[in-house]
Amino acid sequence: LLLFLKFRIYVLKAFGEILLMATNIAACIWAFYPINKTAAYILLPYFAWVSFASCVNYSIWQLNKTKRN
């Protein structure tokens, strides 16, 4: 949200950062699972929320793209 509103960074860059964050969360889940399943399961809602945020960000990007033309 800060990337989007406060710092006025382009939507595509914010989308890229969200994808990097989702990738890192997935990597943490994958790494934690063999060691501590509970730790991996606790990260699943966070991964779901970041995935939802990336879908919203992508939708806004696509809607704004069509309004400019």
Side-chain angles (χ1 to χ4, degrees):
L1 187 61
L2 287 175
L3 288 174
F4 214 78
L5 301 174
K6 187 173 181 183
F7 298 116
R8 299 180 191 263
I9 294 176
Y10 294 110
V11 177
L12 184 58
K13 187 174 180 181
F15 183 65
E17 288 205 19
I18 289 175
L19 289 180
L20 284 173
M21 189 183 330
T23 304
N24 285 331
I25 296 166
C28 282
I29 292 170
W30 182 77
F32 292 172
Y33 188 78
I35 300 166
N36 187 346
K37 290 179 177 47
T38 305
Y41 291 143
I42 287 173
L43 285 173
L44 288 175
Y46 184 45
F47 181 74
W49 175 250
V50 170
S51 299
F52 173 73
S54 65
C55 290
V56 170
N57 192 312
Y58 180 79
S59 299
I60 291 171
W61 175 45
Q62 291 300 311
L63 290 172
N64 286 335
K65 193 178 189 182
T66 57
K67 285 186 178 182
R68 282 189 217 152
N69 295 332

Short mmCIF file of all heavy atoms in Angstrom, two decimals:
data_model
loop_
_atom_site.label_atom_id
_atom_site.label_comp_id
_atom_site.label_asym_id
_atom_site.label_seq_id
_atom_site.Cartn_x
_atom_site.Cartn_y
_atom_site.Cartn_z
N LEU A 1 0.83 -1.19 0.00
CA LEU A 1 0.00 0.00 0.00
C LEU A 1 0.87 1.25 0.00
O LEU A 1 0.57 2.20 -0.69
CB LEU A 1 -0.93 -0.03 1.21
CG LEU A 1 -1.98 1.07 1.27
CD1 LEU A 1 -2.90 0.99 0.06
CD2 LEU A 1 -2.76 0.98 2.53
N LEU A 2 1.96 1.23 0.76
CA LEU A 2 2.83 2.39 0.76
C LEU A 2 3.46 2.62 -0.60
O LEU A 2 3.61 3.76 -1.03
CB LEU A 2 3.92 2.24 1.82
CG LEU A 2 3.48 2.39 3.27
CD1 LEU A 2 4.63 2.10 4.20
CD2 LEU A 2 2.93 3.77 3.52
N LEU A 3 3.84 1.54 -1.27
CA LEU A 3 4.40 1.69 -2.61
C LEU A 3 3.40 2.33 -3.55
O LEU A 3 3.74 3.11 -4.41
CB LEU A 3 4.80 0.32 -3.17
CG LEU A 3 6.01 -0.35 -2.58
CD1 LEU A 3 6.15 -1.75 -3.16
CD2 LEU A 3 7.24 0.46 -2.88
N PHE A 4 2.15 1.98 -3.33
CA PHE A 4 1.10 2.39 -4.24
C PHE A 4 0.67 3.83 -4.01
O PHE A 4 0.46 4.58 -4.93
CB PHE A 4 -0.09 1.44 -4.04
CG PHE A 4 -0.84 1.18 -5.28
CD1 PHE A 4 -0.35 0.29 -6.20
CD2 PHE A 4 -2.03 1.81 -5.53
CE1 PHE A 4 -1.04 0.04 -7.36
CE2 PHE A 4 -2.72 1.57 -6.68
CZ PHE A 4 -2.22 0.67 -7.60
N LEU A 5 0.51 4.25 -2.76
CA LEU A 5 -0.07 5.54 -2.46
C LEU A 5 0.96 6.59 -2.04
O LEU A 5 1.00 7.68 -2.60
CB LEU A 5 -1.13 5.38 -1.35
CG LEU A 5 -2.28 4.45 -1.67
CD1 LEU A 5 -3.15 4.28 -0.46
CD2 LEU A 5 -3.08 4.97 -2.84
N LYS A 6 1.76 6.29 -1.06
CA LYS A 6 2.62 7.30 -0.48
C LYS A 6 3.79 7.66 -1.38
O LYS A 6 4.08 8.84 -1.59
CB LYS A 6 3.13 6.82 0.88
CG LYS A 6 3.90 7.88 1.63
CD LYS A 6 4.24 7.42 3.02
CE LYS A 6 5.00 8.53 3.74
NZ LYS A 6 5.42 8.11 5.05
N PHE A 7 4.48 6.67 -1.91
CA PHE A 7 5.68 6.95 -2.69
C PHE A 7 5.41 7.09 -4.18
O PHE A 7 6.31 7.41 -4.94
CB PHE A 7 6.72 5.86 -2.43
CG PHE A 7 7.15 5.80 -1.00
CD1 PHE A 7 6.91 4.67 -0.24
CD2 PHE A 7 7.78 6.87 -0.40
CE1 PHE A 7 7.30 4.61 1.08
CE2 PHE A 7 8.18 6.81 0.92
CZ PHE A 7 7.93 5.69 1.66
N ARG A 8 4.21 6.82 -4.61
CA ARG A 8 3.79 6.99 -6.02
C ARG A 8 4.71 6.28 -7.01
O ARG A 8 5.08 6.81 -8.04
CB ARG A 8 3.66 8.46 -6.35
CG ARG A 8 2.65 9.17 -5.51
CD ARG A 8 2.56 10.63 -5.87
NE ARG A 8 1.80 11.34 -4.89
CZ ARG A 8 0.51 11.62 -5.00
NH1 ARG A 8 -0.15 11.26 -6.06
NH2 ARG A 8 -0.11 12.29 -4.06
N ILE A 9 5.08 5.09 -6.66
CA ILE A 9 5.89 4.27 -7.57
C ILE A 9 4.94 3.65 -8.59
O ILE A 9 3.80 3.32 -8.28
CB ILE A 9 6.66 3.19 -6.78
CG1 ILE A 9 7.69 3.86 -5.89
CG2 ILE A 9 7.34 2.20 -7.70
CD1 ILE A 9 8.46 2.92 -5.00
N TYR A 10 5.40 3.46 -9.78
CA TYR A 10 4.57 2.91 -10.83
C TYR A 10 3.99 1.56 -10.45
O TYR A 10 4.60 0.79 -9.74
CB TYR A 10 5.38 2.78 -12.12
CG TYR A 10 5.80 4.11 -12.68
CD1 TYR A 10 7.13 4.48 -12.65
CD2 TYR A 10 4.86 4.99 -13.21
CE1 TYR A 10 7.53 5.70 -13.16
CE2 TYR A 10 5.25 6.21 -13.71
CZ TYR A 10 6.58 6.55 -13.68
OH TYR A 10 6.97 7.77 -14.17
N VAL A 11 2.82 1.30 -10.96
CA VAL A 11 2.09 0.08 -10.61
C VAL A 11 2.86 -1.16 -11.04
O VAL A 11 2.90 -2.15 -10.32
CB VAL A 11 0.68 0.11 -11.24
CG1 VAL A 11 -0.06 -1.18 -10.95
CG2 VAL A 11 -0.10 1.30 -10.74
N LEU A 12 3.51 -1.11 -12.17
CA LEU A 12 4.25 -2.28 -12.64
C LEU A 12 5.41 -2.62 -11.70
O LEU A 12 5.65 -3.78 -11.40
CB LEU A 12 4.78 -2.03 -14.06
CG LEU A 12 5.49 -3.19 -14.73
CD1 LEU A 12 4.57 -4.40 -14.81
CD2 LEU A 12 5.95 -2.79 -16.10
N LYS A 13 6.09 -1.60 -11.19
CA LYS A 13 7.17 -1.85 -10.25
C LYS A 13 6.62 -2.42 -8.94
O LYS A 13 7.20 -3.33 -8.36
CB LYS A 13 7.94 -0.56 -9.98
CG LYS A 13 9.16 -0.77 -9.14
CD LYS A 13 9.99 0.48 -9.01
CE LYS A 13 11.21 0.20 -8.16
NZ LYS A 13 12.02 1.39 -7.98
N ALA A 14 5.50 -1.89 -8.48
CA ALA A 14 4.88 -2.41 -7.27
C ALA A 14 4.44 -3.86 -7.48
O ALA A 14 4.60 -4.70 -6.59
CB ALA A 14 3.69 -1.55 -6.87
N PHE A 15 3.92 -4.16 -8.67
CA PHE A 15 3.52 -5.53 -8.98
C PHE A 15 4.72 -6.46 -8.96
O PHE A 15 4.66 -7.57 -8.43
CB PHE A 15 2.82 -5.57 -10.34
CG PHE A 15 2.30 -6.92 -10.72
CD1 PHE A 15 1.29 -7.51 -9.99
CD2 PHE A 15 2.81 -7.59 -11.81
CE1 PHE A 15 0.80 -8.76 -10.33
CE2 PHE A 15 2.33 -8.83 -12.16
CZ PHE A 15 1.33 -9.41 -11.42
N GLY A 16 5.84 -6.00 -9.49
CA GLY A 16 7.06 -6.81 -9.46
C GLY A 16 7.55 -7.07 -8.05
O GLY A 16 7.98 -8.17 -7.72
N GLU A 17 7.43 -6.06 -7.18
CA GLU A 17 7.85 -6.25 -5.79
C GLU A 17 6.93 -7.22 -5.07
O GLU A 17 7.39 -8.01 -4.24
CB GLU A 17 7.88 -4.91 -5.07
CG GLU A 17 9.04 -4.06 -5.53
CD GLU A 17 9.46 -3.06 -4.50
OE1 GLU A 17 9.14 -3.23 -3.32
OE2 GLU A 17 10.14 -2.10 -4.90
N ILE A 18 5.64 -7.17 -5.37
CA ILE A 18 4.70 -8.12 -4.75
C ILE A 18 5.02 -9.54 -5.21
O ILE A 18 4.97 -10.48 -4.40
CB ILE A 18 3.24 -7.74 -5.07
CG1 ILE A 18 2.86 -6.47 -4.31
CG2 ILE A 18 2.29 -8.87 -4.71
CD1 ILE A 18 1.49 -5.95 -4.65
N LEU A 19 5.35 -9.71 -6.48
CA LEU A 19 5.70 -11.05 -6.97
C LEU A 19 6.98 -11.56 -6.31
O LEU A 19 7.07 -12.75 -5.98
CB LEU A 19 5.85 -11.04 -8.49
CG LEU A 19 4.56 -10.87 -9.28
CD1 LEU A 19 4.86 -10.86 -10.77
CD2 LEU A 19 3.56 -11.96 -8.94
N LEU A 20 7.95 -10.68 -6.10
CA LEU A 20 9.17 -11.09 -5.39
C LEU A 20 8.85 -11.49 -3.95
O LEU A 20 9.40 -12.47 -3.44
CB LEU A 20 10.19 -9.96 -5.40
CG LEU A 20 10.95 -9.74 -6.69
CD1 LEU A 20 11.81 -8.48 -6.61
CD2 LEU A 20 11.81 -10.95 -7.01
N MET A 21 7.96 -10.74 -3.32
CA MET A 21 7.59 -11.08 -1.95
C MET A 21 6.88 -12.43 -1.89
O MET A 21 7.17 -13.25 -1.02
CB MET A 21 6.68 -9.98 -1.37
CG MET A 21 6.43 -10.15 0.10
SD MET A 21 5.31 -8.96 0.87
CE MET A 21 5.49 -7.49 -0.06
N ALA A 22 5.98 -12.67 -2.84
CA ALA A 22 5.27 -13.95 -2.86
C ALA A 22 6.25 -15.11 -3.10
O ALA A 22 6.12 -16.17 -2.49
CB ALA A 22 4.20 -13.94 -3.95
N THR A 23 7.22 -14.88 -3.96
CA THR A 23 8.24 -15.90 -4.21
C THR A 23 9.06 -16.20 -2.96
O THR A 23 9.32 -17.36 -2.63
CB THR A 23 9.17 -15.45 -5.35
OG1 THR A 23 8.38 -15.17 -6.50
CG2 THR A 23 10.20 -16.50 -5.68
N ASN A 24 9.43 -15.16 -2.24
CA ASN A 24 10.19 -15.35 -1.00
C ASN A 24 9.37 -16.06 0.07
O ASN A 24 9.89 -16.90 0.81
CB ASN A 24 10.70 -14.01 -0.47
CG ASN A 24 11.86 -13.49 -1.27
OD1 ASN A 24 12.62 -14.27 -1.85
ND2 ASN A 24 12.00 -12.19 -1.33
N ILE A 25 8.09 -15.74 0.17
CA ILE A 25 7.23 -16.41 1.14
C ILE A 25 7.10 -17.89 0.79
O ILE A 25 7.19 -18.75 1.66
CB ILE A 25 5.85 -15.73 1.21
CG1 ILE A 25 5.98 -14.31 1.73
CG2 ILE A 25 4.90 -16.53 2.10
CD1 ILE A 25 4.73 -13.47 1.52
N ALA A 26 6.91 -18.17 -0.50
CA ALA A 26 6.81 -19.57 -0.93
C ALA A 26 8.10 -20.32 -0.64
O ALA A 26 8.08 -21.49 -0.21
CB ALA A 26 6.46 -19.63 -2.42
N ALA A 27 9.23 -19.67 -0.86
CA ALA A 27 10.52 -20.30 -0.56
C ALA A 27 10.67 -20.58 0.94
O ALA A 27 11.19 -21.63 1.33
CB ALA A 27 11.67 -19.42 -1.05
N CYS A 28 10.21 -19.66 1.76
CA CYS A 28 10.26 -19.87 3.22
C CYS A 28 9.37 -21.04 3.63
O CYS A 28 9.77 -21.86 4.46
CB CYS A 28 9.84 -18.60 3.95
SG CYS A 28 11.11 -17.34 4.01
N ILE A 29 8.18 -21.10 3.05
CA ILE A 29 7.28 -22.22 3.36
C ILE A 29 7.94 -23.54 2.98
O ILE A 29 7.93 -24.50 3.74
CB ILE A 29 5.92 -22.04 2.65
CG1 ILE A 29 5.17 -20.85 3.25
CG2 ILE A 29 5.08 -23.30 2.74
CD1 ILE A 29 3.93 -20.44 2.46
N TRP A 30 8.53 -23.58 1.80
CA TRP A 30 9.19 -24.79 1.31
C TRP A 30 10.37 -25.16 2.21
O TRP A 30 10.60 -26.35 2.50
CB TRP A 30 9.64 -24.57 -0.14
CG TRP A 30 10.29 -25.77 -0.74
CD1 TRP A 30 9.68 -26.89 -1.21
CD2 TRP A 30 11.69 -25.97 -0.93
NE1 TRP A 30 10.60 -27.77 -1.69
CE2 TRP A 30 11.85 -27.22 -1.54
CE3 TRP A 30 12.80 -25.19 -0.67
CZ2 TRP A 30 13.10 -27.72 -1.87
CZ3 TRP A 30 14.04 -25.69 -1.00
CH2 TRP A 30 14.18 -26.95 -1.60
N ALA A 31 11.12 -24.16 2.66
CA ALA A 31 12.30 -24.44 3.50
C ALA A 31 11.90 -24.83 4.93
O ALA A 31 12.56 -25.66 5.56
CB ALA A 31 13.21 -23.21 3.54
N PHE A 32 10.84 -24.22 5.45
CA PHE A 32 10.44 -24.49 6.83
C PHE A 32 9.71 -25.82 6.99
O PHE A 32 9.75 -26.41 8.06
CB PHE A 32 9.51 -23.39 7.35
CG PHE A 32 10.16 -22.05 7.54
CD1 PHE A 32 9.39 -20.94 7.85
CD2 PHE A 32 11.53 -21.88 7.43
CE1 PHE A 32 9.97 -19.70 8.03
CE2 PHE A 32 12.13 -20.65 7.61
CZ PHE A 32 11.34 -19.55 7.91
N TYR A 33 9.05 -26.29 5.94
CA TYR A 33 8.19 -27.47 6.06
C TYR A 33 8.92 -28.69 6.60
O TYR A 33 8.40 -29.35 7.51
CB TYR A 33 7.50 -27.77 4.72
CG TYR A 33 6.46 -28.85 4.85
CD1 TYR A 33 5.21 -28.56 5.38
CD2 TYR A 33 6.72 -30.15 4.46
CE1 TYR A 33 4.25 -29.53 5.50
CE2 TYR A 33 5.78 -31.14 4.58
CZ TYR A 33 4.54 -30.83 5.10
OH TYR A 33 3.59 -31.80 5.24
N PRO A 34 10.10 -29.04 6.10
CA PRO A 34 10.77 -30.24 6.66
C PRO A 34 11.23 -30.05 8.11
O PRO A 34 11.33 -31.02 8.86
CB PRO A 34 11.98 -30.45 5.75
CG PRO A 34 11.82 -29.56 4.60
CD PRO A 34 10.83 -28.51 4.96
N ILE A 35 11.49 -28.82 8.49
CA ILE A 35 12.02 -28.55 9.83
C ILE A 35 10.89 -28.44 10.85
O ILE A 35 10.94 -29.05 11.91
CB ILE A 35 12.87 -27.26 9.81
CG1 ILE A 35 14.03 -27.42 8.85
CG2 ILE A 35 13.35 -26.90 11.21
CD1 ILE A 35 14.72 -26.13 8.50
N ASN A 36 9.89 -27.60 10.52
CA ASN A 36 8.79 -27.34 11.45
C ASN A 36 7.52 -27.07 10.64
O ASN A 36 7.36 -25.99 10.08
CB ASN A 36 9.13 -26.14 12.34
CG ASN A 36 8.13 -25.92 13.43
OD1 ASN A 36 7.04 -26.47 13.41
ND2 ASN A 36 8.50 -25.09 14.40
N LYS A 37 6.66 -28.06 10.58
CA LYS A 37 5.44 -27.94 9.77
C LYS A 37 4.54 -26.80 10.25
O LYS A 37 3.91 -26.13 9.44
CB LYS A 37 4.68 -29.27 9.77
CG LYS A 37 5.39 -30.34 8.99
CD LYS A 37 4.60 -31.63 9.05
CE LYS A 37 5.20 -32.73 8.25
NZ LYS A 37 6.59 -33.00 8.35
N THR A 38 4.49 -26.56 11.54
CA THR A 38 3.65 -25.49 12.08
C THR A 38 4.11 -24.14 11.56
O THR A 38 3.29 -23.29 11.18
CB THR A 38 3.68 -25.50 13.61
OG1 THR A 38 3.30 -26.78 14.08
CG2 THR A 38 2.77 -24.45 14.18
N ALA A 39 5.41 -23.93 11.51
CA ALA A 39 5.95 -22.66 10.99
C ALA A 39 5.56 -22.48 9.53
O ALA A 39 5.23 -21.37 9.10
CB ALA A 39 7.46 -22.62 11.15
N ALA A 40 5.60 -23.55 8.77
CA ALA A 40 5.21 -23.46 7.36
C ALA A 40 3.72 -23.17 7.22
O ALA A 40 3.32 -22.34 6.40
CB ALA A 40 5.57 -24.77 6.64
N TYR A 41 2.90 -23.83 8.04
CA TYR A 41 1.45 -23.61 7.96
C TYR A 41 1.06 -22.20 8.39
O TYR A 41 0.10 -21.63 7.86
CB TYR A 41 0.71 -24.63 8.83
CG TYR A 41 0.78 -26.05 8.29
CD1 TYR A 41 0.89 -27.12 9.16
CD2 TYR A 41 0.74 -26.30 6.93
CE1 TYR A 41 0.95 -28.42 8.69
CE2 TYR A 41 0.81 -27.59 6.46
CZ TYR A 41 0.91 -28.65 7.33
OH TYR A 41 0.97 -29.93 6.85
N ILE A 42 1.80 -21.63 9.31
CA ILE A 42 1.50 -20.27 9.76
C ILE A 42 1.73 -19.26 8.64
O ILE A 42 1.06 -18.22 8.58
CB ILE A 42 2.34 -19.93 11.01
CG1 ILE A 42 1.77 -20.69 12.21
CG2 ILE A 42 2.36 -18.43 11.30
CD1 ILE A 42 2.60 -20.57 13.46
N LEU A 43 2.64 -19.55 7.73
CA LEU A 43 2.91 -18.63 6.62
C LEU A 43 1.88 -18.72 5.49
O LEU A 43 1.84 -17.85 4.63
CB LEU A 43 4.30 -18.89 6.05
CG LEU A 43 5.46 -18.39 6.90
CD1 LEU A 43 6.78 -18.86 6.31
CD2 LEU A 43 5.43 -16.89 7.01
N LEU A 44 1.06 -19.76 5.48
CA LEU A 44 0.09 -19.91 4.39
C LEU A 44 -0.91 -18.76 4.29
O LEU A 44 -1.16 -18.29 3.17
CB LEU A 44 -0.62 -21.26 4.51
CG LEU A 44 0.23 -22.47 4.18
CD1 LEU A 44 -0.54 -23.75 4.44
CD2 LEU A 44 0.73 -22.41 2.76
N PRO A 45 -1.50 -18.27 5.39
CA PRO A 45 -2.40 -17.11 5.24
C PRO A 45 -1.69 -15.87 4.71
O PRO A 45 -2.26 -15.10 3.94
CB PRO A 45 -2.93 -16.87 6.65
CG PRO A 45 -2.72 -18.13 7.37
CD PRO A 45 -1.52 -18.77 6.75
N TYR A 46 -0.44 -15.68 5.10
CA TYR A 46 0.34 -14.55 4.59
C TYR A 46 0.55 -14.68 3.09
O TYR A 46 0.40 -13.72 2.34
CB TYR A 46 1.66 -14.49 5.34
CG TYR A 46 2.54 -13.32 5.01
CD1 TYR A 46 2.04 -12.03 4.92
CD2 TYR A 46 3.90 -13.49 4.80
CE1 TYR A 46 2.86 -10.96 4.62
CE2 TYR A 46 4.72 -12.43 4.51
CZ TYR A 46 4.19 -11.16 4.42
OH TYR A 46 5.01 -10.11 4.12
N PHE A 47 0.87 -15.89 2.65
CA PHE A 47 1.04 -16.14 1.21
C PHE A 47 -0.28 -15.90 0.47
O PHE A 47 -0.28 -15.31 -0.62
CB PHE A 47 1.54 -17.57 0.98
CG PHE A 47 1.75 -17.89 -0.47
CD1 PHE A 47 2.83 -17.37 -1.15
CD2 PHE A 47 0.86 -18.70 -1.15
CE1 PHE A 47 3.03 -17.66 -2.49
CE2 PHE A 47 1.04 -18.99 -2.48
CZ PHE A 47 2.14 -18.47 -3.15
N ALA A 48 -1.39 -16.32 1.06
CA ALA A 48 -2.70 -16.10 0.42
C ALA A 48 -3.01 -14.61 0.32
O ALA A 48 -3.51 -14.14 -0.71
CB ALA A 48 -3.79 -16.82 1.22
N TRP A 49 -2.71 -13.86 1.37
CA TRP A 49 -2.97 -12.42 1.36
C TRP A 49 -2.11 -11.71 0.31
O TRP A 49 -2.59 -10.86 -0.43
CB TRP A 49 -2.72 -11.82 2.75
CG TRP A 49 -2.85 -10.34 2.73
CD1 TRP A 49 -1.86 -9.43 2.88
CD2 TRP A 49 -4.05 -9.58 2.55
NE1 TRP A 49 -2.36 -8.17 2.80
CE2 TRP A 49 -3.71 -8.23 2.60
CE3 TRP A 49 -5.37 -9.93 2.35
CZ2 TRP A 49 -4.65 -7.21 2.45
CZ3 TRP A 49 -6.31 -8.92 2.20
CH2 TRP A 49 -5.94 -7.59 2.25
N VAL A 50 -0.85 -12.07 0.21
CA VAL A 50 0.04 -11.45 -0.78
C VAL A 50 -0.41 -11.83 -2.19
O VAL A 50 -0.36 -11.00 -3.11
CB VAL A 50 1.51 -11.83 -0.50
CG1 VAL A 50 2.42 -11.40 -1.64
CG2 VAL A 50 1.97 -11.21 0.79
N SER A 51 -0.88 -13.05 -2.36
CA SER A 51 -1.40 -13.45 -3.67
C SER A 51 -2.63 -12.64 -4.04
O SER A 51 -2.78 -12.19 -5.19
CB SER A 51 -1.73 -14.94 -3.67
OG SER A 51 -0.59 -15.69 -3.41
N PHE A 52 -3.52 -12.44 -3.08
CA PHE A 52 -4.70 -11.62 -3.31
C PHE A 52 -4.31 -10.18 -3.65
O PHE A 52 -4.84 -9.57 -4.58
CB PHE A 52 -5.62 -11.64 -2.08
CG PHE A 52 -6.77 -10.70 -2.16
CD1 PHE A 52 -7.83 -10.98 -3.01
CD2 PHE A 52 -6.80 -9.54 -1.41
CE1 PHE A 52 -8.91 -10.10 -3.11
CE2 PHE A 52 -7.85 -8.66 -1.50
CZ PHE A 52 -8.91 -8.95 -2.35
N ALA A 53 -3.35 -9.63 -2.92
CA ALA A 53 -2.89 -8.27 -3.18
C ALA A 53 -2.29 -8.14 -4.57
O ALA A 53 -2.48 -7.13 -5.25
CB ALA A 53 -1.87 -7.84 -2.12
N SER A 54 -1.58 -9.17 -5.02
CA SER A 54 -1.00 -9.12 -6.36
C SER A 54 -2.09 -9.17 -7.42
O SER A 54 -2.00 -8.49 -8.45
CB SER A 54 0.02 -10.24 -6.57
OG SER A 54 -0.60 -11.49 -6.53
N CYS A 55 -3.15 -9.92 -7.17
CA CYS A 55 -4.28 -9.94 -8.12
C CYS A 55 -4.97 -8.58 -8.19
O CYS A 55 -5.31 -8.10 -9.28
CB CYS A 55 -5.29 -11.01 -7.72
SG CYS A 55 -4.71 -12.68 -7.94
N VAL A 56 -5.16 -7.94 -7.04
CA VAL A 56 -5.76 -6.61 -7.02
C VAL A 56 -4.86 -5.61 -7.74
O VAL A 56 -5.33 -4.79 -8.54
CB VAL A 56 -6.04 -6.17 -5.56
CG1 VAL A 56 -6.43 -4.71 -5.50
CG2 VAL A 56 -7.11 -7.04 -4.95
N ASN A 57 -3.57 -5.66 -7.48
CA ASN A 57 -2.63 -4.77 -8.11
C ASN A 57 -2.64 -4.95 -9.62
O ASN A 57 -2.66 -3.98 -10.37
CB ASN A 57 -1.23 -5.02 -7.55
CG ASN A 57 -0.24 -3.96 -7.94
OD1 ASN A 57 -0.14 -3.59 -9.09
ND2 ASN A 57 0.50 -3.49 -6.97
N TYR A 58 -2.64 -6.18 -10.07
CA TYR A 58 -2.67 -6.47 -11.51
C TYR A 58 -3.96 -5.95 -12.14
O TYR A 58 -3.94 -5.37 -13.23
CB TYR A 58 -2.53 -7.98 -11.75
CG TYR A 58 -2.55 -8.34 -13.20
CD1 TYR A 58 -1.42 -8.16 -13.99
CD2 TYR A 58 -3.70 -8.87 -13.79
CE1 TYR A 58 -1.44 -8.49 -15.33
CE2 TYR A 58 -3.72 -9.21 -15.13
CZ TYR A 58 -2.59 -9.02 -15.90
OH TYR A 58 -2.61 -9.33 -17.22
N SER A 59 -5.08 -6.14 -11.45
CA SER A 59 -6.37 -5.66 -11.97
C SER A 59 -6.38 -4.14 -12.10
O SER A 59 -6.85 -3.60 -13.11
CB SER A 59 -7.51 -6.09 -11.06
OG SER A 59 -7.58 -7.49 -11.00
N ILE A 60 -5.86 -3.45 -11.10
CA ILE A 60 -5.80 -1.99 -11.17
C ILE A 60 -4.88 -1.55 -12.31
O ILE A 60 -5.20 -0.61 -13.05
CB ILE A 60 -5.33 -1.41 -9.82
CG1 ILE A 60 -6.42 -1.62 -8.77
CG2 ILE A 60 -4.98 0.06 -9.94
CD1 ILE A 60 -6.00 -1.29 -7.37
N TRP A 61 -3.78 -2.24 -12.48
CA TRP A 61 -2.86 -1.92 -13.57
C TRP A 61 -3.56 -2.07 -14.92
O TRP A 61 -3.45 -1.20 -15.79
CB TRP A 61 -1.64 -2.81 -13.46
CG TRP A 61 -0.66 -2.67 -14.58
CD1 TRP A 61 -0.20 -1.51 -15.13
CD2 TRP A 61 0.00 -3.72 -15.27
NE1 TRP A 61 0.71 -1.78 -16.12
CE2 TRP A 61 0.85 -3.13 -16.23
CE3 TRP A 61 -0.02 -5.10 -15.17
CZ2 TRP A 61 1.65 -3.87 -17.07
CZ3 TRP A 61 0.78 -5.85 -16.00
CH2 TRP A 61 1.61 -5.24 -16.94
N GLN A 62 -4.29 -3.17 -15.10
CA GLN A 62 -4.98 -3.39 -16.36
C GLN A 62 -6.10 -2.37 -16.59
O GLN A 62 -6.28 -1.90 -17.71
CB GLN A 62 -5.54 -4.82 -16.41
CG GLN A 62 -4.48 -5.89 -16.50
CD GLN A 62 -3.62 -5.73 -17.74
OE1 GLN A 62 -4.12 -5.57 -18.84
NE2 GLN A 62 -2.31 -5.76 -17.55
N LEU A 63 -6.84 -2.03 -15.55
CA LEU A 63 -7.91 -1.04 -15.69
C LEU A 63 -7.36 0.34 -16.03
O LEU A 63 -7.93 1.05 -16.86
CB LEU A 63 -8.76 -0.99 -14.42
CG LEU A 63 -9.64 -2.20 -14.15
CD1 LEU A 63 -10.27 -2.10 -12.76
CD2 LEU A 63 -10.72 -2.32 -15.21
N ASN A 64 -6.29 0.73 -15.41
CA ASN A 64 -5.69 2.03 -15.69
C ASN A 64 -5.05 2.05 -17.07
O ASN A 64 -5.00 3.10 -17.70
CB ASN A 64 -4.67 2.40 -14.63
CG ASN A 64 -5.32 2.81 -13.34
OD1 ASN A 64 -6.45 3.27 -13.34
ND2 ASN A 64 -4.60 2.64 -12.26
N LYS A 65 -4.56 0.94 -17.51
CA LYS A 65 -3.95 0.84 -18.83
C LYS A 65 -4.99 1.12 -19.91
O LYS A 65 -4.70 1.85 -20.86
CB LYS A 65 -3.38 -0.57 -18.99
CG LYS A 65 -2.46 -0.78 -20.12
CD LYS A 65 -2.01 -2.22 -20.03
CE LYS A 65 -0.94 -2.62 -20.91
NZ LYS A 65 -0.61 -4.02 -20.79
N THR A 66 -6.20 0.60 -19.77
CA THR A 66 -7.23 0.81 -20.77
C THR A 66 -7.80 2.22 -20.71
O THR A 66 -8.23 2.75 -21.72
CB THR A 66 -8.37 -0.21 -20.61
OG1 THR A 66 -8.90 -0.11 -19.29
CG2 THR A 66 -7.90 -1.61 -20.86
N LYS A 67 -7.79 2.85 -19.54
CA LYS A 67 -8.31 4.21 -19.43
C LYS A 67 -7.38 5.23 -20.07
O LYS A 67 -7.83 6.26 -20.53
CB LYS A 67 -8.54 4.58 -17.95
CG LYS A 67 -9.74 3.92 -17.37
CD LYS A 67 -9.97 4.42 -15.98
CE LYS A 67 -11.22 3.78 -15.41
NZ LYS A 67 -11.52 4.28 -14.06
N ARG A 68 -6.10 4.95 -20.10
CA ARG A 68 -5.15 5.90 -20.70
C ARG A 68 -5.30 5.97 -22.21
O ARG A 68 -5.05 6.99 -22.81
CB ARG A 68 -3.72 5.50 -20.36
CG ARG A 68 -3.33 5.87 -18.98
CD ARG A 68 -1.85 5.64 -18.80
NE ARG A 68 -1.64 5.14 -17.46
CZ ARG A 68 -0.67 4.38 -17.09
NH1 ARG A 68 0.23 3.99 -17.96
NH2 ARG A 68 -0.55 3.97 -15.85
N ASN A 69 -5.67 4.87 -22.85
CA ASN A 69 -5.74 4.84 -24.32
C ASN A 69 -7.01 5.40 -24.83
O ASN A 69 -8.01 5.56 -24.50
CB ASN A 69 -5.55 3.43 -24.84
CG ASN A 69 -4.15 2.93 -24.51
OD1 ASN A 69 -3.23 3.73 -24.39
ND2 ASN A 69 -4.01 1.64 -24.37
#
